[in-house]
Amino acid sequence: MPFQMPDFIPALPEIFLLAMACVVLLVEAGFKPKTLSYNLTLFTLLGVAVLVVLSGSSDPYYTFNGLFIDDVMGDVLKLMTSLAAIVAVIYSRRYLADRNLLNGEYFALLLFAVLGMMVLISASHFLTLYLGVELLALSLYALVAFQRDSLRASEAAMKYFILGALASGLLLYGMSLLYGVTGSLHLDAIAHALHQQGGDNVVMVFGLVFVVAGLGFKLGVAPFHMWVPDIYHGAPTAVTLFLGSAPKLAAFAFVMRLLVDGLSPLHGDWQQMLAVMAVLSMAIGNLAAIMQTNIKRMLAYSTIAHMGFLLLGILSGSLAGFSAGMFYVLTYVLMSLGAFGMITYLSREGFEAEQLDDYKGLNSRHPWLAAIMGMIMLSMAGLPPLVGFYAKFTVLQALVGSGWIGLAVVAVLFSLIGAYYYLRIVKIMYFDTPPADAPPIQGPTDARVLLSFNGLAVLLLGLLPQPLLAVCAASLQLSYP
Amino acid sequence: MLKILLLLPLLGALFISALPGRRARLIRQAALVISGATLAWSIWLASAFDPSHADVQLVESHSWNPRLGSAFSLAVDGISLPLVWLATLLAFIAILASGGIRERVKGYYLLLLLLECAMLGVFTARDWSLFYVFWELTLLPLFFLIDRWGGLGRQKAALNFVLYTMGGSVFMLIALLMLYDASPGHSFDMDAIRRGALALPETAQVTLFLALLIGFGVKMPIFPLHGWLPLTHVEAPSPVSILLSGILLKMGSYGLIRATWTLPAAAEALQGVLMTLAMVSLVYGGVLAWQQRDLKAMIAYSSVSHMGVVLLGVATLNSAGLIGAVMQMVAHGLVAGTLFLLAGLLYERTHTRDLADYGSLVAVMPRFAFFTILAFICAAGMPGSAGFVAEMHALVGGFERWGGWVVLLSLSVLISMAYAIRTVGRLFTGPASPRMQGLPDLSRSEMTAALMLSFGSVALGIHPGPMLDLIATSVGRYALLFGA
């Protein structure tokens, strides 16, 4: 077979990102100024965003012999991934500098993680899928352990690594079973083969179970959620901020590629698994979050609940449901960036603002920041007119539309329980008296301005969710004609 | 027209947020002017409204989120217009009565105006999703208002209130989503939803109606769902109690009336259930009010009883009963507003709400005594008050439907008379308490507020004709659905 030159254009953002990640790593060795790698990282991510927009095509397009797909859904997710990474980098600059972590290795790892996400988003083959997952995961293990002298961070990284490796094992085992049944690693070919064989094959269902379990680990949904609170809590807040934002977009793409592109003929089977996982996640996430006194842990449990809610959108199985899921994950990333960004902003040298008590009377110390945090919390709780309400609303709309009314009732009841702990934070910020020795809050202007925009976006998208909803619906319509 | 009604308090809140926080007097005056302008505008709406026309009027519709099937559409009819007036009037009164608020004045008035905007939105929305957004939006300002400016148990009360209401409204949300799914052309427009709902099988309609009943019943409140009410009313700052019992409760019954119109078959099927719940609320609320020592708790429980009259009126599903229900909403809004206003003023002066602590206040505060006694008389539904007209209609409507059973309504009137007289006795007669000497009587602005509300009650009682006509025209359309 003659060698055929692949079309590199669709993968231009990834190629650029890889090259620049290497540059950032090299620059660290040669130059002293610490801000160079920071600026270079921002430039890279911005470049990636521009390239994603420029290289996008409106119809799904395969390259690299079918290993790589470029579609509108992927482009939107990649664009948002790079933007989320930019925001996360800006939020975390001072935090990193205070802890002597602001160096090229950190940013190189971060860029490799972004690369992993982008490969994952564009995967159309089990190999690329796995490659993306592992690149992302390995970079994240290292990032979690980045604060070398922190015992808690090292422990978290260890847990993350072991459970992550287990999850990868499950995923690979499931993939190998599916390969055995269908004779292909290509997602489209698998879907085709499964369609031809019908759904009554024990090996096939076994493969599906393993794949979904691996997926559950990576998403962090119950009953595979054990690592989430420990990692969120143990990692340096700047890493938690990154970990809790952009990778969620990749996780959404992961589910879509694997279950919708590859295993859609088995949707009757995976729908039920997702339903169980979603209900468990919402139950465990929301109930456990109530008991937390550490805000990072609390938000970790809330993430589990949110990911459960996201699964509801996907399991409804309709295009409306997928688009609701995409809207949900985009808005969740926005809120998560804001919440963890706030924790990062309020932390100082030698002080982590991670106990709930640290937020006591925030309103009297800094009313504007309290207002932003309050909006984000109320949005996570799903109160109108904030964007979190519409995220839940669209998912429920899709769920009721496909007849899962019982699940919708369960979902709203658990989000009601969730409202309790979000409101508690608002209460703490507004109605408790601040500790007497609380120092004045000061932080870099760029992060503060960005946080303000972040908070206002939560409100503005809540008042006018139509544009973002339209983007989600249009991108899915173009990607799944 | 209606857009301006919503924008006035909203822009006013924005304006206040721009004022410097130290200028408390200026902020208070600005809030008064804004809510006064809103009140004036709502009255001005009457000039554009044709009372002989039954369908909704002053329709405004803007595309909002077509992908979600929701539109920003507003309109009023003879059922919602009186409630709009009630809301703007009570919001003005509440701001007038807020002179006692001394700390964080800016936030307080800002939240009150936001609350007013949300309440008006509920009564004017013609799109169920918009209705729901405004419905939930009322929670935010109330949570802060109660938790920040309330009494000792305010934190528990605020959280209790918000979670209770949200718990009810999630059922409403699911019901609305299911109705949306059934509606032709997938829209939340109230008319489209109704067309879809009529085509549903009756069991589905009944289920949906029950879900809506839970959502609205928490707010009203109907007997088993009233748990949040005493705590919240007692702990809320008095001006907020005025709005809570005066308007917020009416949102529930207003929603219920719209629900009977949307799902008439279900309303007919559940008529007996509604009637039973109404009777239980009537008697239970009354008996509990009788038992209270705390003045605000007493008024709060009496609200349960009075809202029972509204529910009874709705349950009759005939013209007289529905007129009674709407009229009772207005009447109770005015009366409960007056009572909470006066109770708040008394608390400000005495710092006690225990009925046993008062005595012979009539000698100390004659003007206060006059308005309080008048309010209690109106609350008990004496002839000449708006409450009498309302209860009369509900009674007639109920008699048409169930005959002698409505004797329970008379029983509850008797109970309310009993606790009214008991309370008046405790407040104004008996041994004079030495602690209660030298209390200042009502000031001029307090007098104005009390006078406006009492005048409303009495004027509607003596000359109810125009209001009844206004309500009857729109209610007639509803009653036709049920062949009465």
Side-chain angles (χ1 to χ4, degrees):
Chain A
M1 202 168 98
F3 178 70
Q4 217 184 5
M5 196 65 178
D7 185 358
F8 285 114
I9 302 293
L12 216 51
E14 283 84 357
I15 295 168
F16 173 71
L17 183 55
L18 176 62
M20 289 304 289
C22 297
V23 170
V24 169
L25 204 54
L26 287 176
V27 157
E28 172 67 11
F31 294 90
K32 274 287 136 218
K34 297 282 186 197
T35 49
L36 184 62
S37 53
Y38 169 78
N39 289 327
L40 216 51
T41 306
L42 285 185
F43 166 76
T44 307
L45 291 168
L46 211 58
V48 168
V50 172
L51 282 175
V52 166
V53 174
L54 290 182
S55 69
S57 62
S58 61
D59 294 323
Y61 180 80
Y62 291 91
T63 182
F64 295 106
N65 209 5
L67 287 169
F68 187 97
I69 181 174
D70 181 26
D71 59 5
V72 183
M73 180 187 83
D75 286 341
V76 173
L77 288 173
K78 282 183 202 172
L79 180 67
M80 294 301 174
T81 304
S82 49
L83 292 181
I86 291 175
V87 175
V89 166
I90 294 178
Y91 282 163
S92 52
R93 188 189 54 162
R94 198 199 48 164
Y95 182 94
L96 294 169
D98 283 350
R99 283 154 189 76
N100 220 4
L101 301 172
L102 189 76
N103 54 39
E105 290 155 25
Y106 180 88
F107 291 116
L109 282 170
L110 189 138
L111 289 178
F112 278 120
V114 175
L115 181 62
M117 294 177 216
M118 295 181 65
V119 170
L120 180 55
I121 290 172
S122 266
S124 61
H125 194 276
F126 273 165
L127 276 183
T128 15
L129 212 55
Y130 187 69
L131 184 71
V133 169
E134 281 304 284
L135 183 55
L136 169 61
L138 283 171
S139 316
L140 287 180
Y141 304 147
L143 278 176
V144 172
F146 204 74
Q147 200 169 8
R148 256 161 296 186
D149 46 1
S150 162
L151 205 62
R152 221 172 58 181
S154 311
E155 185 192 330
M158 200 66 191
K159 273 184 195 156
Y160 192 18
F161 177 69
I162 292 172
L163 288 174
L166 180 66
S168 299
L170 288 176
L171 195 64
L172 277 181
Y173 189 49
M175 285 177 177
S176 70
L177 286 174
L178 286 172
Y179 174 68
V181 177
T182 59
S184 174
L185 289 171
H186 204 285
L187 289 171
D188 278 354
I190 290 169
H192 190 68
L194 289 177
H195 192 69
Q196 302 246 302
Q197 296 178 7
D200 230 14
N201 184 328
V202 180
V203 183
M204 200 151 75
V205 175
F206 252 90
L208 177 70
V209 169
F210 279 109
V211 165
V212 170
L215 205 67
F217 260 113
K218 297 291 176 192
L219 265 176
V221 289
F224 311 108
H225 64 283
M226 265 60 132
W227 60 275
V228 181
D230 289 338
I231 306 326
Y232 272 51
H233 181 196
T237 309
V239 177
T240 313
L241 160 69
F242 179 66
L243 194 73
S245 56
K248 301 296 170 204
L249 296 169
F252 170 76
F254 190 24
V255 180
M256 289 296 289
R257 296 287 182 221
L258 203 55
L259 296 186
V260 181
D261 288 10
L263 303 174
S264 54
L266 300 178
H267 76 266
D269 297 305
W270 57 252
Q271 260 178 339
Q272 287 171 15
M273 284 188 244
L274 291 196
V276 172
M277 278 162 44
V279 170
L280 277 178
S281 304
M282 289 186 296
I284 292 174
N286 282 323
L287 291 174
I290 293 179
M291 290 169 244
Q292 305 308 319
T293 54
N294 181 301
I295 191 166
K296 276 162 82 181
R297 268 191 109 75
M298 193 209 88
L299 286 174
Y301 280 109
S302 107
T303 305
I304 297 172
H306 279 289
M307 289 298 116
F309 217 100
L310 166 66
L311 287 186
L312 291 180
I314 296 171
L315 76 88
S316 68
S318 60
L319 210 54
F322 301 148
S323 126
M326 188 163 164
F327 183 75
Y328 196 91
V329 76
L330 287 177
T331 54
Y332 174 71
V333 166
L334 184 73
M335 296 185 285
S336 166
L337 275 173
F340 285 112
M342 188 64 71
I343 302 175
T344 320
Y345 186 84
L346 294 177
S347 300
R348 297 182 301 277
E349 202 172 341
F351 169 75
E352 304 275 343
E354 59 176 30
Q355 296 300 322
L356 285 183
D357 287 350
D358 297 333
Y359 291 81
K360 273 188 175 171
L362 183 63
N363 179 50
S364 55
R365 293 167 65 202
H366 202 307
W368 179 235
L369 288 181
I372 292 170
M373 187 67 169
M375 275 199 288
I376 290 168
M377 286 299 124
L378 294 173
S379 173
M380 282 196 174
L383 253 84
L386 299 157
V387 71
F389 166 71
Y390 284 101
K392 288 197 161 61
F393 189 85
T394 46
V395 168
L396 290 172
Q397 212 172 26
L399 210 55
V400 170
S402 4
W404 296 81
I405 288 151
L407 260 186
V409 172
V410 172
V412 287
L413 286 180
F414 279 122
S415 49
L416 178 69
I417 295 174
Y420 170 75
Y421 58 86
Y422 295 121
L423 280 176
R424 194 177 53 176
I425 295 203
V426 174
K427 194 210 86 162
I428 286 173
M429 288 193 305
Y430 276 88
F431 308 126
D432 288 1
T433 42
D437 56 343
I441 294 165
Q442 49 196 4
T445 317
D446 51 354
R448 195 170 59 241
V449 171
L450 205 57
L451 262 178
S452 309
F453 276 113
N454 198 330
L456 289 178
V458 168
L459 178 63
L460 207 65
L461 277 174
L463 292 174
L464 295 167
Q466 178 70 10
L468 190 59
L469 279 168
V471 166
C472 292
S475 69
L476 279 160
Q477 248 150 24
L478 287 168
S479 306
Y480 296 94
Chain B
M1 301 273 296
L2 291 173
K3 206 168 25 196
I4 297 174
L5 188 70
L6 295 188
L7 278 178
L8 268 174
L10 186 65
L11 293 179
L14 282 180
F15 173 68
I16 284 186
S17 73
L19 291 177
R22 289 167 279 99
R23 307 281 303 276
R25 259 182 75 84
L26 179 70
I27 288 171
R28 180 170 155 75
Q29 279 160 356
L32 268 176
V33 169
I34 293 158
S35 63
T38 318
L39 173 62
W41 186 260
S42 72
I43 293 170
W44 172 248
L45 286 179
S47 70
F49 188 88
D50 175 11
S52 62
H53 189 69
D55 204 353
V56 289
Q57 300 175 42
L58 311 178
V59 181
E60 283 177 52
S61 192
H62 304 276
S63 170
W64 183 32
N65 293 309
R67 193 159 288 285
L68 295 175
S70 60
F72 191 87
S73 59
L74 307 172
V76 285
D77 62 1
I79 297 170
S80 49
L81 191 61
L83 295 172
V84 167
W85 287 334
L86 183 70
T88 50
L89 176 66
L90 286 183
F92 179 70
I93 300 285
I95 287 176
L96 202 61
S98 298
I101 303 290
R102 305 246 181 271
E103 51 170 13
R104 305 194 205 87
V105 173
K106 182 169 152 179
Y108 177 82
Y109 288 107
L110 198 154
L111 289 170
L112 268 188
L113 288 174
L114 272 184
L115 180 61
E116 181 178 9
C117 173
M119 292 184 310
L120 290 173
V122 168
F123 290 132
T124 52
R126 281 306 293 169
D127 180 287
W128 278 112
S129 68
L130 189 66
F131 176 91
Y132 186 80
V133 167
F134 280 124
W135 176 278
E136 292 282 284
L137 194 56
T138 58
L139 294 182
L140 270 186
L142 277 173
F143 175 69
F144 283 97
L145 282 169
I146 297 170
D147 206 328
R148 184 138 235 197
W149 290 274
L152 286 177
R154 58 183 186 269
Q155 301 205 327
K156 192 175 157 208
L159 210 55
N160 213 320
F161 165 71
V162 170
L163 291 180
Y164 226 111
T165 316
M166 279 179 84
S169 48
V170 293
F171 289 100
M172 177 163 89
L173 177 65
I174 297 287
L176 291 179
L177 285 171
M178 288 169 74
L179 283 168
Y180 161 84
D181 207 46
S183 74
H186 284 269
S187 148
F188 278 105
D189 180 71
M190 285 193 178
D191 293 321
I193 288 263
R194 175 163 188 267
R195 279 196 297 279
L198 291 179
L200 287 174
E202 193 180 314
T203 47
Q205 286 200 38
V206 169
T207 318
L208 290 171
F209 191 87
L210 282 174
L212 290 175
L213 185 65
I214 294 175
F216 297 135
V218 166
K219 205 79 162 193
M220 258 179 89
I222 297 174
F223 157 62
L225 304 172
H226 65 279
W228 60 274
L229 176 114
L231 188 63
T232 311
H233 278 73
V234 169
E235 298 299 342
S238 291
V240 176
S241 301
I242 296 177
L243 294 180
L244 265 176
S245 69
I247 312 174
L248 268 289
L249 304 191
K250 297 346 172 247
M251 284 168 32
S253 44
Y254 170 74
L256 195 63
I257 292 182
R258 295 289 189 218
T260 59
W261 182 68
T262 310
L263 298 158
E268 217 152 7
L270 292 172
Q271 201 175 12
V273 177
L274 291 178
M275 193 271 254
T276 314
L277 287 174
M279 290 303 184
V280 173
S281 293
L282 266 171
V283 178
Y284 178 80
V287 171
L288 276 181
W290 197 357
Q291 299 289 321
Q292 297 307 312
R293 285 169 59 95
D294 184 315
L295 185 58
K296 274 176 111 178
M298 190 220 85
I299 308 173
Y301 277 116
S302 80
S303 292
V304 178
S305 167
H306 285 137
M307 293 310 281
V309 179
V310 178
L311 185 59
L312 185 73
V314 176
T316 61
L317 300 177
N318 58 28
S319 179
L322 283 166
I323 293 175
V326 179
M327 195 67 188
Q328 172 73 357
M329 286 197 246
V330 178
H332 178 251
L334 292 170
V335 163
T338 325
L339 285 176
F340 273 114
L341 171 76
L342 294 167
L345 297 177
L346 188 60
Y347 179 72
E348 243 172 57
R349 289 166 169 72
T350 60
H351 296 283
T352 174
R353 287 190 307 257
D354 194 330
L355 280 175
D357 288 352
Y358 305 116
S360 281
L361 285 178
V362 70
V364 191
M365 306 164 75
R367 290 197 290 265
F368 174 81
F370 170 76
F371 283 112
T372 311
I373 293 169
L374 186 62
F376 272 114
I377 288 175
C378 292
M382 284 285 269
S385 72
F388 172 73
V389 180
E391 279 172 8
M392 194 67 199
H393 276 86
L395 207 61
V396 170
F399 191 77
E400 274 177 34
R401 190 65 73 176
W402 298 293
W405 279 104
V406 287
V407 72
L408 279 170
L409 174 59
S410 317
L411 180 65
S412 94
V413 173
L414 200 67
I415 297 173
S416 69
M417 206 60 206
Y419 62 73
I421 290 177
R422 166 178 167 270
T423 314
V424 167
R426 288 284 174 83
L427 281 174
F428 301 118
T429 63
S433 158
R435 280 173 56 208
M436 297 293 156
Q437 300 307 313
L439 295 174
D441 207 345
L442 297 186
S443 72
R444 185 169 300 170
S445 75
E446 291 162 356
M447 281 273 286
T448 320
L451 196 63
M452 282 170 81
L453 291 178
S454 313
F455 176 78
S457 278
V458 176
L460 280 180
I462 293 174
H463 189 58
M467 183 64 99
L468 286 177
D469 288 344
L470 174 71
I471 298 170
T473 319
S474 289
V475 157
R477 198 165 61 112
Y478 282 40
L480 273 182
L481 294 174
F482 307 101

